[in-house]
């Protein structure tokens, strides 16, 4: 790993972010409670990440308290980012977790800068902020408090049922800033889920979290992603998923077919060859060479299958392809949804309805870095 060759107090520009000097590595921790996992506690220099202009994401700012993820989803698009640390995108991504122990303090400093215009911030876009490590480090309450105190709206996307721990805090936050919540649930078959996502809570545990958030006053979006060809795309599987989502109280669904980015594809195909060898040839046909997206024909076919089921279950549903950059995605932070001077209700919709909203500086391009 890159930090192993560092010298105390000497800059290393190729090092892990937050560890350009050996002083940035606080310690590496292993405990019986998290068997097989190592937490690398680091001191980060920045907390707010600017989303590149060319990105398809509909938001501009993110905060990621962790790198790597114990959820261990075979298809996780973020696996390739671990290779930047000279760690592999497979087992290292699942077990070597980088923890930015000072991220909330750094975030508070950045939010106090005069150039910060309180653009919405997204949490959970790279690795899950409510993965198992959060139960130990409790970073998310500090981040949520920092954003709320600064008047910055934020969104959370997670697979973690640990979100329920923070619902009282998030409900209080929604009294002064816009807070939106989204839950990712891709696999509703327990056996398949345990095989593909061995570190995640069950689908039912996540649905129970959706219900708890709904009862707290949030309009929760469920990301039915990825839909897996030949595994979760049957009418029966989709119907069961959408029925259970509706019963949990969600009223929005975003769905989309499996993506296989270069850093993810080898790991996913290794799983497929081991667990479903009969599907390998089909998947190689759908995702040939360096192709990362399912063919347009398959995505259109999936849409024609899902849309009638969305209507049947009275769900507001969108295909991920319906959201080019600049258009809002339900449940995610949106650059366009900022408070409007003189209109306290301008941001109502995804959180508990409030009577007032904080007024913030007119939108302009932040120059934090």
């Amino acid at each position: 790993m890159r930090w192993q060759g560092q010298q105390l107090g000497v800059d290393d520009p190729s090092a892990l972010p937050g560890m350009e000097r050996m002083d940035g590595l606080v310690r590496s921790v292993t405990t019986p409670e998290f068997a097989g996992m190592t937490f690398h506690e680091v001191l980060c220099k920045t907390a707010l990440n600017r989303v590149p202009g060319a990105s398809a994401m509909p938001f501009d700012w993110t905060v990621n308290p962790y790198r790597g993820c114990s959820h261990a989803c075979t298809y996780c698009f973020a696996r390739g980012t671990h290779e930047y640390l000279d760690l592999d995108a497979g087992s290292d991504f699942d077990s070597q977790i980088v923890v930015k122990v000072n991220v909330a303090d750094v975030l508070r400093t950045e939010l106090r800068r005069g150039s910060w215009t309180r653009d919405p911030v997204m949490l959970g876009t790279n690795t899950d902020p409510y993965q198992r490590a959060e139960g130990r480090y409790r970073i998310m309450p500090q981040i949520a408090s920092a954003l709320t105190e600064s008047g910055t709206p934020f969104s959370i996307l997670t697979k973690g049922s640990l979100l329920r721990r923070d619902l009282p805090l998030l409900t209080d936050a929604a009294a002064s800033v816009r807070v939106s919540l989204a839950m990712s649930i891709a696999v509703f078959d327990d056996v398949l889920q345990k095989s593909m996502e061995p570190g995640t809570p069950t689908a039912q545990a996540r649905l129970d979290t959706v219900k708890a958030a709904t009862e707290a006053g949030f309009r929760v979006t469920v990301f039915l992603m990825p839909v897996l060809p030949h595994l979760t795309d049957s009418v029966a599987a989709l119907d069961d998923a959408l029925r259970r989502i509706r019963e949990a109280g969600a009223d929005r669904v975003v769905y989309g077919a499996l993506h296989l980015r270069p850093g993810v594809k080898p790991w996913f195909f290794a799983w497929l060859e081991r667990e479903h060898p009969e599907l390998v040839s089909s998947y190689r046909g759908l995702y040939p060479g360096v192709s990362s997206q399912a063919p347009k024909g398959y995505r259109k076919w999936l849409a024609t299958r899902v849309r009638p089921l969305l209507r049947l279950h009275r769900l507001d549903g969108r295909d991920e392809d319906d959201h080019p950059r600049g258009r809002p995605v339900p449940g995610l932070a949106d650059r366009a949804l900022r408070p409007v001077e003189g209109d306290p209700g301008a941001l109502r919709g995804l959180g508990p309805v409030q009577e007032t909203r904080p007024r913030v500086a007119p939108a302009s391009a932040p120059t934090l870095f």
Side-chain angles (χ1 to χ4, degrees):
M1 295 183 289
R2 287 182 180 167
W3 59 83
Q4 288 179 333
Q6 291 181 312
Q7 300 177 29
L8 185 64
V10 177
D11 286 332
D12 179 1
S14 67
L16 175 70
M19 301 175 68
E20 292 84 355
R21 298 169 68 90
M22 190 62 174
D23 303 336
L25 175 59
V26 179
R27 61 177 180 168
S28 294
V29 180
T30 60
T31 72
E33 182 185 2
F34 297 90
M37 295 179 60
T38 301
F39 300 127
H40 302 285
E41 299 177 356
V42 305
L43 299 177
C44 65
K45 291 186 176 181
T46 61
L48 286 162
N49 307 302
R50 184 68 185 258
V51 177
S55 170
M57 295 297 101
F59 43 82
D60 288 323
W61 297 98
T62 67
V63 175
N64 296 298
Y66 304 101
R67 296 187 71 164
C69 186
S70 59
H71 284 162
C73 301
T74 56
Y75 52 76
C76 180
F77 71 91
R79 286 186 173 276
T81 63
H82 237 44
E83 295 176 347
Y84 302 150
L85 314 180
D86 285 347
L87 294 164
D88 70 53
S91 58
D92 284 347
F93 180 84
D94 304 336
S95 62
Q96 303 290 320
I97 310 301
V98 177
V99 184
K100 302 175 185 178
V101 292
N102 67 331
V103 66
D105 291 335
V106 174
L107 177 63
R108 289 181 191 277
T109 299
E110 293 176 339
L111 295 173
R112 285 196 294 266
R113 293 177 179 172
S115 56
W116 178 244
T117 56
R118 300 179 181 87
D119 288 353
V121 172
M122 186 68 211
L123 303 163
T125 58
N126 191 24
T127 57
D128 202 308
Y130 282 105
Q131 59 178 287
R132 290 182 63 203
E134 174 60 18
R136 173 187 177 94
Y137 289 98
R138 301 183 66 87
I139 296 175
M140 282 297 289
Q142 302 173 58
I143 291 175
S145 294
L147 291 167
T148 303
E149 291 163 8
S150 72
T152 299
F154 61 95
S155 301
I156 298 172
L157 171 62
T158 183
K159 295 181 179 179
S161 56
L162 188 59
L163 173 71
R164 295 181 70 170
R165 180 199 67 191
D166 292 344
L167 282 177
L169 172 65
L170 296 171
T171 302
D172 290 343
S176 54
V177 298
R178 185 176 187 267
V179 179
S180 55
L181 305 179
M183 180 64 69
S184 175
I185 316 177
V187 183
F188 288 75
D189 177 89
D190 289 343
V191 174
L192 182 61
Q193 180 257 334
K194 204 63 180 176
S195 175
M196 296 198 75
E197 308 171 346
T200 59
T202 65
Q204 188 57 53
R206 282 177 266 176
L207 289 168
D208 291 343
T209 304
V210 170
K211 184 175 182 180
T214 300
E215 291 174 349
F218 292 94
R219 295 178 64 193
V220 183
T221 297
V222 171
F223 278 63
L224 184 60
M225 294 174 63
V227 177
L228 299 145
H230 309 299
L231 289 171
T232 64
D233 62 353
S234 69
V235 170
L238 294 168
D239 181 61
D240 176 66
L242 294 171
R243 174 185 59 79
R244 294 172 66 183
I245 289 170
R246 181 61 179 174
E247 289 174 353
D251 62 358
R252 292 187 176 95
V253 173
V254 178
Y255 66 92
L258 174 69
H259 290 205
L260 287 176
R261 296 184 182 179
V264 183
K265 187 175 287 189
W267 185 249
F268 178 83
F269 269 96
W271 172 86
L272 194 68
E273 289 168 354
R274 183 175 67 251
E275 301 293 333
H276 290 280
E278 75 283 1
L279 295 179
V280 170
S281 61
S282 294
Y283 270 77
R284 293 205 183 281
L286 287 167
Y287 301 91
V290 297
S291 175
S292 61
Q293 277 195 316
K296 187 174 182 180
Y298 175 85
R299 303 200 308 271
K300 284 187 174 181
W301 173 87
L302 180 62
T304 61
R305 177 161 284 197
V306 173
R307 286 170 182 162
L309 294 173
L310 289 168
R311 292 193 294 270
L312 175 66
H313 294 287
R314 303 187 309 282
L315 285 162
D316 176 15
R318 307 286 178 86
D319 188 314
E320 63 166 338
D321 290 343
D322 293 340
H323 301 284
R325 181 169 171 81
R327 296 186 183 179
V329 177
L332 300 187
D334 173 24
R335 71 172 57 81
L337 295 180
R338 300 189 178 102
V340 178
E341 188 73 22
D343 181 5
L347 291 187
R348 296 175 184 170
L350 292 185
V353 175
Q354 307 299 329
E355 293 301 319
T356 60
R357 297 292 182 189
R359 295 180 178 182
V360 302
S364 61
T367 55
L368 280 179
F369 306 114

